[in-house]
C-alpha cells in the first residue's frame, strides 16, 4: 500500500516542479521584455534620430577619436536637444554597431546608472576600445612633427589630431607647434606678440601665411607690368642702322634697291645684258656703281666678276 501511494505522489511532484520551472522562465521572459522595452524607449522616444552626418562605430580603435569628435561637435550645435547626459549616452549607443553595440547592450538592459553620466560612460567606452600605446605614439609624432610642404591649415589639423590623443599641457603644445612651422613663418612671428595659447598661435600662423601669399601675388603682378630687359635690348638693336650684308666674295650682296636680294636668274640676266649687279643701271659695273655703299675697311679682297 505504501509503495502505491509513493508511486502516485511522484508524478504530482514532478508536475509541480515543472510548473515552478515554467513560472521562473516566464518571469525571466517578463524581465527581459521589460528591459527591452526600456532600451527601445531609450533609443526611440528620448533620443533624437541618428543624423546621416554622424559616423557609426563598430569597435575599430583607429576610428574611436573621429567618432567621439563628431559627437562632440554635433552636441555642441544642438544644446537644447542634448541638455541631459542620458540623451547623449542614448544617442551614442544608437550610433553603435557590431562589437561596440554588443558591449553597450547589457548596460541598457540592466539600466546601469552610467547611462546617466556621459563623461563616465565615455571613459569606460575609451578604455574598452582605445588602442594600447596610442598616446605614446601620438606623443612621439608630436615631437617630430613638421609643417614641411603643407599649408598652415593642414598642419594645424594634423597637430590637433595628435594633441587630442595626449594629456600634454598647453605650454608644451605651443612650443611644439611653433617649432614645427616653416622658417619663413617663424621669422615673421618674431615681429608679433608672443602667443601663450595654442589657439592664438595657430591664428597668428594662418594670418602670416595669408599675408605672405598676398605679397607673392603682388610681386608676380608687378613683374608682369614691367618690360623685361631682354626686350628693351632687342628694341635698341632693331633701331640701329643696318650695314649691307656681304656675299661670299667679300662684296655687298647684289640687291635691287627696291626689291631686295637678286635671285640667281636675275643676276645671270643682268650679266648678259651688261647691267650693274647692284643698281641694275647700264654704263658701269658693280665695282664702279655710284650708289653702292663704300666698302668697310677689312681684310676681304674683291675678286673679278
Amino acid at each position: 500500500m505504501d509503495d502505491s501511494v509513493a508511486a502516485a505522489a511522484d508524478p504530482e511532484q514532478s508536475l509541480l516542479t515543472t510548473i515552478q520551472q515554467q513560472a521562473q522562465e516566464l518571469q525571466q521572459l517578463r524581465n527581459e521584455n521589460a528591459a527591452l522595452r526600456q532600451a527601445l524607449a531609450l533609443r526611440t522616444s528620448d533620443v533624437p534620430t541618428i543624423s546621416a552626418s554622424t559616423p557609426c562605430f563598430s569597435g575599430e580603435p583607429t576610428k574611436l577619436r573621429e567618432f567621439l569628435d563628431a559627437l562632440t561637435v554635433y552636441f555642441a550645435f544642438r544644446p537644447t536637444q542634448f541638455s541631459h547626459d542620458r540623451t547623449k549616452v542614448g544617442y551614442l549607443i544608437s550610433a553603435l554597431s557590431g562589437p561596440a553595440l554588443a558591449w553597450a547592450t547589457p548596460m541598457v538592459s540592466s539600466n546601469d546608472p552610467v547611462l546617466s553620466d556621459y563623461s563616465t560612460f565615455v571613459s569606460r567606452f575609451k578604455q574598452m576600445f582605445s588602442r594600447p600605446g596610442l598616446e605614446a605614439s601620438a606623443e612621439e609624432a608630436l615631437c617630430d612633427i613638421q609643417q614641411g610642404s603643407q599649408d598652415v591649415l593642414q598642419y594645424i589639423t594634423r597637430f590637433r589630431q595628435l594633441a587630442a590623443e595626449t594629456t600634454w599641457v598647453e605650454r608644451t603644445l605651443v612650443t611644439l607647434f611653433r617649432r614645427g612651422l616653416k622658417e619663413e613663418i617663424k621669422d615673421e612671428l618674431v615681429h608679433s606678440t608672443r602667443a601663450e595659447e595654442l589657439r592664438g598661435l595657430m591664428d597668428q600662423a594662418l594670418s602670416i601665411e595669408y599675408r605672405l601669399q598676398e605679397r607673392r601675388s603682388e610681386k608676380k603682378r608687378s613683374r608682369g607690368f614691367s618690360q623685361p630687359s631682354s626686350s628693351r635690348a632687342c628694341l635698341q638693336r632693331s633701331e640701329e642702322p643696318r650695314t649691307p650684308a656681304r656675299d661670299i666674295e667679300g662684296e655687298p650682296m647684289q640687291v635691287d634697291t627696291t626689291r631686295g636680294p637678286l635671285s640667281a636668274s636675275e643676276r645671270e640676266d643682268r650679266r648678259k645684258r651688261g647691267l650693274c649687279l647692284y643698281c641694275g643701271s647700264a654704263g658701269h659695273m658693280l665695282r664702279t656703281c655710284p650708289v653702292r655703299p663704300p666698302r668697310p675697311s677689312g681684310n676681304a679682297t674683291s675678286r673679278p666678276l
Side-chain angles (χ1 to χ4, degrees), residues 9-61:
D10 286 340
E12 293 179 359
Q13 183 65 35
S14 177
L15 180 60
L16 180 61
T17 302
T18 302
I19 292 174
Q20 290 176 345
Q21 289 177 347
Q22 290 178 346
Q24 291 176 354
E25 291 176 357
L26 180 60
Q27 184 61 42
Q28 184 177 356
L29 289 173
R30 287 176 177 173
N31 293 337
E32 291 178 357
N33 185 45
L36 290 174
R37 286 179 178 277
Q38 187 176 15
L40 181 63
L42 178 64
R43 294 171 66 93
T44 57
S45 60
D46 296 336
V47 180
T49 304
I50 289 294
S51 170
S53 62
T54 302
C56 290
F57 182 75
S58 62
E60 285 187 62

Side-chain angles (χ1 to χ4, degrees), residues 88-135:
K88 294 179 180 179
V89 172
Y91 189 88
L92 186 155
I93 294 175
S94 298
L96 300 180
S97 63
L101 180 59
W103 170 81
T105 299
M107 287 185 283
V108 176
S109 300
S110 63
N111 195 23
D112 194 310
V114 76
L115 298 177
S116 299
D117 189 336
Y118 183 74
S119 297
T120 303
F121 182 88
V122 170
S123 296
R124 291 190 189 178
F125 189 64
K126 292 169 69 175
Q127 288 175 0
M128 183 66 188
F129 295 104
S130 62
R131 185 177 62 192
L134 185 62
E135 182 175 354

Side-chain angles (χ1 to χ4, degrees), residues 274-294:
L275 302 178
C276 176
L277 293 177
Y278 189 85
C279 67
S281 302
H284 62 269
M285 302 302 290
L286 176 64
R287 292 195 189 96
T288 59
C289 179
V291 298
R292 185 186 67 166

Side-chain angles (χ1 to χ4, degrees), residues 57-74:
F57 182 75
S58 62
E60 285 187 62
T62 56
K63 301 292 184 181
L64 178 60
R65 173 55 57 182
E66 177 186 354
F67 174 67
L68 293 177
D69 287 347
L71 291 180
T72 300
V73 173
Y74 192 78

